[in-house]
């Protein structure tokens, strides 16, 4: 059995990487750094790690960055790195949502590839402007919808594309959490404060933070295009300014129907991402808590368990697996897959050749669709859950 791991990146030079955000105490910045290191495809060489210059310097020192390449602002970093012979080739943007647009634009206009956390921006107008900037730049734009990196998610996508489920009829996807069940933002909890602030998060709370992941996962696996939705959004916690629970009905082009539930006030759920897809010939089910398993039920037959790199799994799953079946791979490895796919695309761009068609990562187009999804949910809910076209 072949374990692909680094694959066609194995003998490539490491990509010189910078980071915006992700300083001391930042959860997602550390995740991005681990993901970038896992397959040994990136060197973190520069950073504007905090909006506070003092904290940025401290964070750079803690990470062992050259002090001369630790910057007090992303604009300073973009300008100076673009002038250096060995300046960064790509930048990771791991800030709160409202910073994504300005930061990404500064690097795009200097030809630096962008790897950006989701959602793309805090509003649709900025998302469309950023797409235009990316198109004009010619630089690559990778959006870290990391759940698309799981091998069995790739397996599910392959099975749908191969027609194993027949014509898709029903999609059910959910992402419940419980960490905002109480008003923790009022205690000053860093992760909660900005996520519940419309000025930093955008119009969506749970819809933007985790609903976009659920929406993207459904689109990635099924290949379906969302036509319209009807959403019922709630802010159950008193005085919370953004939604903490959403029920969304989905209508896809071609007639398929779907339901999406995202919640951050569901006690007993930590990161309960789950998807079920049903077609005319069968159904599949994947749960992030058991990410190495995919259940497949051909109509009229017993359920079948497909395991990562086990019997019945296909090439798309094997391509992004690092270890033999039976050893669990999880969240960090899935995140690393997005970074390794980015490295493959960046190295192809440096050589001026087309990237392998097997390379898959969420793009800026996926980002625009995600922000459009959030804004459509907000509009629909304000109209008493009326159907809204995307």
């Amino acid at each position: 059995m072949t374990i692909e791991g680094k694959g066609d990146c194995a003998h490539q030079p490491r990509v010189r990487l910078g980071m915006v955000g992700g300083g001391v105490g930042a959860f997602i910045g550390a995740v991005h750094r681990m993901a970038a290191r896992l397959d040994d495809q990136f060197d973190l060489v520069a950073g504007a790690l905090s909006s506070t210059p003092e904290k940025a310097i401290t964070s750079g020192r803690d990470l062992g960055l050259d002090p001369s390449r630790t910057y007090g602002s992303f604009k300073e970093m973009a300008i100076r790195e673009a002038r250096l012979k060995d300046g960064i080739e790509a930048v990771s943007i791991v800030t709160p949502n409202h910073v994504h647009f300005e930061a990404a634009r500064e690097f795009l206009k200097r030809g630096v590839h962008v790897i950006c956390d989701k959602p793309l921006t805090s509003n649709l107008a900025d998302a469309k402007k950023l797409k235009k900037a990316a198109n004009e730049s010619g630089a690559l734009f990778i959006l870290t919808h990391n759940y698309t990196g799981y091998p069995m998610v790739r397996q599910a996508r392959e099975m749908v594309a191969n027609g194993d489920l027949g014509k898709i009829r029903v999609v059910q996807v959910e992402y419940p959490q419980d960490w905002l069940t109480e008003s923790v933002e009022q205690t000053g909890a860093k992760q909660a404060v900005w996520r519940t602030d419309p000025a930093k998060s955008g119009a969506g709370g749970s819809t933007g933070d985790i609903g976009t992941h659920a929406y993207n996962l459904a689109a990635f696996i099924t290949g379906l295009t969302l036509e319209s939705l009807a959403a019922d959004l709630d802010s159950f916690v008193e005085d919370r300014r953004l939604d903490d629970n959403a029920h969304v009905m989905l209508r896809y082009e071609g007639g398929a129907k779907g339901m999406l539930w995202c919640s951050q006030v569901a006690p007993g759920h930590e990161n309960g991402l789950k998807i079920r897809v049903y077609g005319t010939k069968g159904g599949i089910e994947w749960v992030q808590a058991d990410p190495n398993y995919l259940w497949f039920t051909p109509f009229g037959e017993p359920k079948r368990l497909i395991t990562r790199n086990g019997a019945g799994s296909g090439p798309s799953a094997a391509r992004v697996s690092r270890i033999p079946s039976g050893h669990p791979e999880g969240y960090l490895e899935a995140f690393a897959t997005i970074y390794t796919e980015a490295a493959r695309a960046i190295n192809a761009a440096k050589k001026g050749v087309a990237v392998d068609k097997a390379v898959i990562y969420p793009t800026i187009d996926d980002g625009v669709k995600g922000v459009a999804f959030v804004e459509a949910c907000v509009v629909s809910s304000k109209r008493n859950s009326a159907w809204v076209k995307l």
Side-chain angles (χ1 to χ4, degrees):
M1 177 177 59
T2 301
I3 305 300
E4 295 295 333
K6 297 175 185 178
D8 53 348
C9 281
H11 304 293
Q12 298 291 344
R14 295 189 190 97
V15 176
R16 297 186 299 276
L17 181 69
M19 181 167 280
V20 176
V24 174
F27 160 72
I28 202 64
V31 169
H32 277 256
R33 289 190 292 271
M34 286 186 277
R37 289 199 305 267
L38 187 61
D39 291 332
D40 201 26
Q41 300 306 312
F42 292 86
D43 275 332
L44 181 65
V45 297
L49 301 167
S50 175
S51 57
T52 304
E54 296 80 8
K55 188 175 178 180
I57 292 170
T58 301
S59 299
R61 183 177 63 243
D62 289 350
L63 293 175
L65 294 181
D66 182 338
S68 70
R69 299 180 75 175
T70 298
Y71 302 94
S73 72
F74 60 76
K75 186 168 186 177
E76 177 191 3
M77 176 176 161
I79 293 171
R80 186 165 186 273
E81 288 293 319
R83 294 172 179 168
L84 295 177
K85 184 179 180 180
D86 61 347
I88 61 171
E89 300 168 284
V91 63
S92 292
I93 298 174
V94 296
T95 64
N97 307 344
H98 70 295
V99 181
H100 293 179
F101 171 65
E102 292 290 351
R105 187 171 63 173
E106 287 295 333
F107 290 95
L108 285 172
K109 66 185 182 183
R110 293 171 174 85
V112 177
H113 305 296
V114 172
I115 304 170
C116 184
D117 207 32
K118 58 93 270 232
L120 179 62
T121 58
S122 59
N123 63 76
L124 187 56
D126 281 351
K128 292 178 177 179
K129 291 176 187 175
L130 196 56
K131 174 177 165 57
K132 184 174 185 291
N135 291 344
E136 292 173 349
S137 166
L140 298 173
F141 199 106
I142 296 92
L143 194 71
T144 54
H145 274 301
N146 53 295
Y147 302 107
T148 65
Y150 278 106
M152 300 317 287
V153 167
R154 301 285 176 106
Q155 172 73 21
R157 175 187 170 101
E158 179 182 306
M159 292 174 69
V160 171
N162 287 344
D164 294 346
L165 275 65
K167 180 178 173 60
I168 302 303
R169 290 171 167 169
V170 178
V171 181
Q172 292 194 322
V173 60
E174 63 184 55
Y175 197 156
Q177 299 174 330
D178 65 4
W179 71 291
L180 292 178
T181 296
E182 297 181 334
S183 186
V184 293
E185 62 267 32
Q186 299 302 322
T187 69
K190 179 180 178 181
Q191 297 299 324
V193 168
W194 76 259
R195 281 179 168 83
T196 56
D197 181 355
K200 294 182 178 179
S201 185
S206 66
T207 47
D209 194 28
I210 54 177
T212 49
H213 273 312
Y215 163 69
N216 177 264
L217 183 67
F220 182 81
I221 289 176
T222 67
L224 296 174
T225 298
L226 187 62
E227 181 182 80
S228 58
L229 61 78
D232 185 15
L233 276 53
D234 286 288
S235 300
F236 281 114
V237 174
E238 187 176 358
D239 296 327
R240 182 165 285 162
R241 292 178 288 172
L242 294 175
D243 64 89
D244 50 28
N245 189 88
H247 296 91
V248 189
M249 291 192 295
L250 310 169
R251 289 175 178 169
Y252 290 99
E253 292 180 4
K257 300 294 179 68
M259 295 174 61
L260 183 152
W261 171 47
C262 61
S263 181
Q264 292 173 314
V265 293
H269 291 284
E270 295 166 340
N271 279 282
L273 181 61
K274 176 180 181 179
I275 185 167
R276 292 173 288 179
V277 182
Y278 304 101
T280 55
K281 293 167 59 178
I284 53 174
E285 179 177 344
W286 180 80
V287 181
Q288 194 205 193
D290 289 314
N292 295 281
Y293 299 154
L294 177 69
W295 287 100
F296 170 48
T297 308
F299 177 64
E301 299 182 24
K303 290 179 71 171
R304 301 174 184 176
L305 178 61
I306 304 173
T307 61
R308 184 190 53 77
N309 276 330
S313 66
S316 60
R319 181 181 165 276
V320 296
S321 295
R322 295 167 179 81
I323 52 180
S325 56
H327 296 301
E329 286 191 17
Y331 177 80
L332 291 175
E333 290 89 346
F335 222 116
T337 291
I338 305 302
Y339 266 85
T340 299
E341 298 283 60
R344 290 182 172 117
I346 291 168
N347 281 317
K350 287 197 302 189
K351 294 176 181 178
V353 299
V355 68
D356 188 329
K357 291 182 179 179
V359 172
I360 306 171
Y361 55 83
T363 67
I364 197 162
D365 290 323
D366 296 300
V368 173
K369 291 175 183 177
V371 179
F373 164 79
V374 173
E375 294 206 354
C377 285
V378 173
V379 170
S380 171
S381 190
K382 287 180 178 178
R383 296 177 182 172
N384 195 28
S385 302
W387 285 96
V388 171
K389 286 187 175 293
L390 271 78

